[in-house]
Amino acid sequence: MKYILYLHIWLSAIAMLLTMECILFFAPDKINYTIILFAGAATLFTYNAHTLFALYSKKNSTEVTSWGRKKYNCIFFTMLLGFVCSLYICVMYFNFNQWFIFIASSGLWLTYEVYIIYANRRGLLLNHHSFFKSIVIAFVWTIITGVLPLSKSETDIMWSSNAALFIGVRFCLFAFITQLFEYRDFYIDKAIKKVSHLNGKTIGYSNITVICYLFFAAIVLQLFIIELHISFKIATILQMIFLLFCLRIKNIVTLTPSMLIWDGVLILSPLISIPVLYL
């Protein structure tokens, strides 16, 4: 299980399913399997590269980094495999628009990683920037699983209101989940470092709760407006019910279960929508 989670194979599978779902909704007659494979390969590369960056940035040890020091070669070769596959797909199949989107999102991700290394080496408190972190991560996930698949479709699909709302729902959902991970990290920091400004479950948790409710409200509003198959709306509502339950019970989930469960809630939408769209 740790190999699947800590090498981010689980996330890679989720990214491919989300990408396939996006294509089936907006371009079912032009299923592009190369962009689906790219989503999986790019996820393998970015997340395993992030683990390697964490190993070199003097970051406090986590379950992933502790495991990563023991399995360094596995992480490195998985990252390399993801890099080679994603680069090959870029060179062979991407059009100009996709290259532009890919370079812009890659630049944002690289800037984020460099800042994390700088902050960790200087001992800065990244908790103050948790909202920024969630926005960056949500933005990159939205680009990979939503914008890139649509960028090879017809222009009227890419810029349609339903496509924009679909991307908006995806972005808010990714950001919501990222905020849950931020609270978990807040709690771990307090438990390990006894950070004084993290006053139990009040300051950090209250801010994150408000942000999550704002993302929830944005999702609900967009679901009212969007004209898409009912399976997508049902799946999204089920996802939000589960995430709100996790938010309300204020229960700290350790690293491995959170990676399996909170990330795994993303798979609910394609598991419901893909079979329905194929029928």
Side-chain angles (χ1 to χ4, degrees), residues 16-236:
M16 288 191 289
L17 286 172
L18 289 172
T19 304
M20 185 174 183
E21 179 192 31
C22 177
I23 294 172
L24 286 174
F25 273 127
F26 297 100
D29 298 328
K30 301 178 181 179
I31 298 179
N32 185 352
Y33 290 102
T34 56
I35 201 68
I36 295 173
L37 291 174
F38 172 81
T43 302
L44 285 179
F45 167 65
T46 53
Y47 274 85
N48 283 288
H50 176 78
T51 302
L52 295 180
F53 280 137
L55 292 176
Y56 288 108
S57 65
K58 297 181 179 180
K59 184 179 180 180
N60 293 324
S61 293
T62 64
E63 290 181 43
V64 175
T65 55
S66 297
W67 185 86
R69 291 186 177 92
K70 301 175 184 177
K71 306 293 183 181
Y72 181 89
N73 289 338
C74 290
I75 294 175
F76 178 80
F77 285 114
T78 304
M79 180 203 70
L80 186 62
L81 175 64
F83 174 75
V84 171
C85 291
S86 56
L87 183 62
Y88 174 79
I89 293 172
C90 285
V91 172
M92 297 300 296
Y93 298 102
F94 272 22
N95 58 28
F96 176 79
N97 289 336
Q98 288 174 311
W99 266 107
F100 177 80
I101 295 169
F102 171 69
I103 291 173
S105 58
S106 297
L108 178 63
W109 169 77
L110 188 59
T111 301
Y112 165 70
E113 293 292 347
V114 170
Y115 175 74
I116 287 179
I117 293 175
Y118 171 80
N120 283 326
R121 289 186 178 276
R122 292 298 183 95
L124 300 178
L125 291 173
L126 289 173
N127 293 327
H128 290 306
H129 309 286
S130 61
F131 181 74
F132 169 73
K133 289 163 60 180
S134 68
I135 293 299
V136 170
I137 294 172
F139 179 80
V140 173
W141 265 85
T142 305
I143 292 294
I144 296 297
T145 66
V147 177
L148 274 176
L150 295 180
S151 63
K152 202 162 187 174
S153 302
E154 299 297 327
T155 304
D156 58 342
I157 296 177
M158 177 63 186
W159 296 107
S160 69
S161 59
N162 282 329
L165 290 168
F166 177 85
I167 291 172
V169 170
R170 279 274 180 90
F171 173 81
C172 293
L173 183 62
F174 293 146
F176 191 123
I177 294 173
T178 306
Q179 285 297 303
L180 289 179
F181 280 102
E182 288 302 316
Y183 176 57
R184 183 204 63 193
D185 293 341
F186 276 146
Y187 189 87
I188 291 174
D189 281 344
K190 180 181 182 299
I192 295 176
K193 300 170 64 177
K194 306 296 182 182
V195 180
S196 59
H197 75 282
L198 296 178
N199 184 16
K201 295 186 178 182
T202 57
I203 299 177
Y205 190 82
S206 297
N207 292 340
I208 288 174
T209 302
V210 171
I211 292 171
C212 285
Y213 280 134
L214 289 175
F215 285 130
F216 170 77
I219 290 173
V220 171
L221 178 61
Q222 291 173 102
L223 287 180
F224 272 117
I225 301 173
I226 194 171
E227 296 178 1
L228 213 56
H229 196 282
I230 190 65
S231 62
F232 175 73
K233 296 186 178 183
I234 292 174
T236 304

